[in-house]
Amino acid sequence: MTQISIIGLGWIGLPLAQFLQKNGHAVIGSTTSADKQEKIKDLGVEAIQFALVPFPQGKAFQKLFTTEVLVINIPPKSRTTDGKFYLEQMKYLRAMVDQAGIEKIIFVSSTGVYPNDSRTESYMEGEEVNEANTGNIILLKGEKTFKDAKELTIVRFGGLMGDDRIPGKYVAGKENVAGHTRVNYIHKRDAVRMLAWIIEKELWHKIYNGVAPIHSLRKDIYERNVLDLGFEPPKSYENVLEGDNRLISGSKILETGFEFEYPDPLDFPYTKKS
């Protein structure tokens, strides 16, 4: 049994906690509100109220830092903020990690750190990503906050899909939709399984891209969602015969023996909510 703490029992963090518990691990996690704390406890997961505002705030949150493995899963919200608050949060969190002496850390990041440029080759974990070429400087700085931690593994997820996160929902009825490029998606179930795999196989000092191995065409995915789930199709697509692709390779995790349950985004299962 491994003692695991998850900072952020959200869309990925909560099912990860449940999955790890089923595999025999001792898991606790954090949530920012008392209401969420009670709901999570009702699901059988020990939740501690903890927030970074950006300094740490909560009740008995020190228990989160008495652990063998720490999973940091806090989104930067860099699309809606300038990211400064997030980086302050990470600074305080790093100080707490150091004070507690936690050695094994998974930092959940995004493939958004890779350059936005399209090219023939897929972007891989060995790419040199710096402040001059990164597609998201806040994400990159967030990663660097923990770069010299003793046993750090960074997981850069592609587009997280599943449940009611359905690609076709976001383009329903829209005009001039880009359907000619290929996707870098991963299903929620595989994202959870991949994080658990890294912990259980002791895959430390690594960077892994969490991206399904098949890069389906966007238009094909949207049309499948229309057929399977009844969404309104896009009114029109961009008049492009062949487009550039910014592809991210997820092959490195496959080399460890990990297998995707849903390797093709065309076959992702969803739960359509009314």
Side-chain angles (χ1 to χ4, degrees):
M1 178 187 291
T2 302
Q3 177 67 53
I4 303 164
S5 291
I6 301 171
I7 306 297
L9 291 175
W11 197 74
I12 290 294
L14 179 56
L16 173 63
Q18 293 171 312
F19 186 89
L20 289 167
Q21 284 188 168
K22 287 179 182 177
N23 284 7
H25 302 289
V27 184
I28 61 172
S30 74
T31 186
T32 56
S33 74
D35 288 344
K36 289 180 182 177
Q37 182 183 25
E38 290 305 313
K39 290 177 182 177
I40 292 169
K41 285 183 178 180
D42 289 343
L43 294 172
V45 176
E46 183 179 355
I48 292 175
Q49 192 175 349
F50 173 67
L52 291 161
V53 292
F55 52 86
Q57 185 179 81
K59 190 175 182 180
F61 60 78
Q62 290 82 3
K63 187 176 180 181
L64 289 164
F65 298 90
T66 306
T67 187
E68 296 173 67
V69 176
L70 183 70
V71 179
I72 299 171
N73 185 32
I74 303 176
K77 299 180 181 178
S78 54
R79 292 181 179 179
T80 55
T81 70
D82 62 7
K84 292 180 181 178
F85 181 77
Y86 169 76
L87 294 178
E88 284 294 302
Q89 289 179 307
M90 294 302 100
K91 183 180 75 173
Y92 278 101
L93 188 56
R94 176 62 199 267
M96 297 180 75
V97 167
D98 289 346
Q99 185 176 10
I102 300 170
E103 296 183 352
K104 297 177 180 178
I105 299 170
I106 292 182
F107 187 90
V108 178
S109 185
S110 165
T111 56
V113 301
Y114 292 111
N116 286 323
D117 299 332
S118 299
R119 65 182 194 186
T120 304
E121 304 86 5
S122 297
Y123 286 100
M124 301 185 73
E125 292 88 346
E127 303 284 340
E128 181 182 353
V129 182
N130 54 52
E131 294 186 10
N133 69 4
T134 182
N136 190 315
I137 195 166
I138 300 303
L139 279 171
L140 182 63
K141 287 183 175 180
E143 291 183 2
K144 286 185 174 181
T145 304
F146 292 87
K147 67 177 181 178
D148 57 349
K150 190 167 184 180
E151 296 188 78
L152 170 70
T153 287
I154 296 170
V155 179
R156 294 169 174 166
F157 283 129
L160 287 157
M161 298 296 168
D163 292 349
D164 64 337
R165 290 192 183 182
I166 309 168
K169 178 174 73 173
Y170 305 117
V171 297
K174 293 187 177 180
E175 297 181 348
N176 296 320
V177 170
H180 58 285
T181 56
R182 298 188 178 275
V183 300
N184 300 294
Y185 288 165
I186 184 171
H187 192 271
K188 177 182 185 177
R189 168 76 177 172
D190 282 326
V192 166
R193 290 177 57 250
M194 182 174 165
L195 292 172
W197 176 269
I198 289 167
I199 293 169
E200 293 173 347
K201 299 297 180 181
E202 298 275 355
L203 302 175
W204 305 112
H205 304 292
K206 309 288 185 183
I207 298 176
Y208 291 107
N209 295 330
V211 178
I214 298 174
H215 303 271
S216 303
L217 199 66
R218 292 182 188 277
K219 184 177 180 181
D220 292 343
I221 294 171
Y222 300 152
E223 292 178 353
R224 177 67 66 85
N225 293 162
V226 169
L227 288 174
D228 292 348
L229 301 167
F231 287 107
E232 180 185 356
K235 285 188 169 64
S236 62
Y237 288 97
E238 290 181 354
N239 187 23
V240 179
L241 295 177
E242 185 177 348
D244 293 329
N245 285 292
R246 176 181 172 274
L247 298 180
I248 311 296
S249 172
S251 61
K252 185 175 177 180
I253 194 65
L254 296 175
E255 294 170 1
T256 70
F258 181 79
E259 296 181 358
F260 283 79
E261 284 189 14
Y262 305 108
D264 190 343
L266 279 173
D267 300 324
F268 282 7
Y270 297 100
T271 304
K272 185 181 178 183
K273 296 181 181 178
S274 57

